[in-house]
Amino acid sequence: MADGLERLWTPHRMTYISGDDRPDEGYEKPSGCPFCRAPQAPPEESLVVARGERVYAVLNLYPYNPGHLLVCPYRHVADYTELDEAETAELAAFTQTVMRVVRKVSSAHGFNLGMNQGGVAGAGIAAHLHQHVVPRWGGDANFMPVIGRTKVLPQLLGDTRELFARAWPS
């Protein structure tokens, strides 16, 4: 029976929901960790936007909002307290640069920043620390996510990665 509702299909999310893309060895070991593998892959495949000496910025494959980036240390560490001083400083500086780049490219009105430390805190990949940088705009919590439980992303991730990479300061 028709319910009169429009459907917006996002089948790519099923892989994340079902865990089908989870490696057999899990995320705990660097060999199965997407944050350890991403810097080795070509940018178009990995969605890495910029690389530093100790950390890098990558688009979230399953974003909360358009332009959702992650700042990750290259080193496979789970907890913020495991970062050394240089990693901590570069992670903070990269987070600032991510915010500047996203504002320049997409005029974000604000940001949610955060780290989920441990599975019980909501970390999907708890074995490798990552800082979320989620751009926000006035009215971005519209009826789609609130009622429709669907997030509309207006641009392909590869196109977003290219815009951010070009805007990254050299």
Side-chain angles (χ1 to χ4, degrees):
M1 174 165 34
D3 59 12
L5 297 176
E6 294 290 324
R7 301 289 192 264
L8 180 63
W9 299 102
T10 57
H12 65 281
R13 297 261 325 145
M14 270 321 286
T15 301
Y16 177 71
I17 293 166
S18 67
D20 287 347
D21 62 348
R22 186 179 175 93
D24 292 337
E25 65 271 24
Y27 300 132
E28 290 70 29
K29 295 181 181 172
S31 61
C33 176
F35 299 136
C36 289
R37 292 191 324 247
Q40 314 311 319
E44 310 78 41
E45 181 184 318
S46 69
L47 300 175
V48 170
V49 171
R51 299 164 191 272
E53 201 173 311
R54 294 171 176 84
V55 303
Y56 66 95
V58 61
L59 280 170
N60 188 333
L61 188 57
Y62 305 106
Y64 299 139
N65 258 0
H68 178 173
L69 286 143
L70 305 170
V71 180
C72 306
Y74 291 111
R75 200 162 58 92
H76 188 80
V77 296
D79 197 85
Y80 187 66
T81 62
E82 295 176 55
L83 294 178
D84 63 32
E85 283 187 40
E87 288 168 325
T88 303
E90 191 173 49
L91 188 132
F94 249 65
T95 300
Q96 291 176 327
T97 303
V98 164
M99 292 172 67
R100 289 182 187 109
V101 167
V102 172
R103 279 192 184 115
K104 179 180 179 179
V105 171
S106 60
S107 303
H109 299 152
F111 294 88
N112 290 121
L113 305 175
M115 293 181 209
N116 300 327
Q117 294 282 264
V120 298
I125 300 175
H128 196 128
L129 174 85
H130 50 285
Q131 165 82 39
H132 291 263
V133 182
V134 182
R136 300 299 306 267
W137 295 267
D140 67 7
N142 60 27
F143 77 95
M144 290 299 286
V146 174
I147 295 176
R149 296 179 48 117
T150 302
K151 181 59 83 171
V152 178
L153 301 171
Q155 190 173 53
L156 295 173
L157 288 175
D159 295 344
T160 304
R161 190 212 71 79
E162 183 62 31
L163 284 171
F164 288 163
R166 275 190 274 142
W168 198 268
S170 22

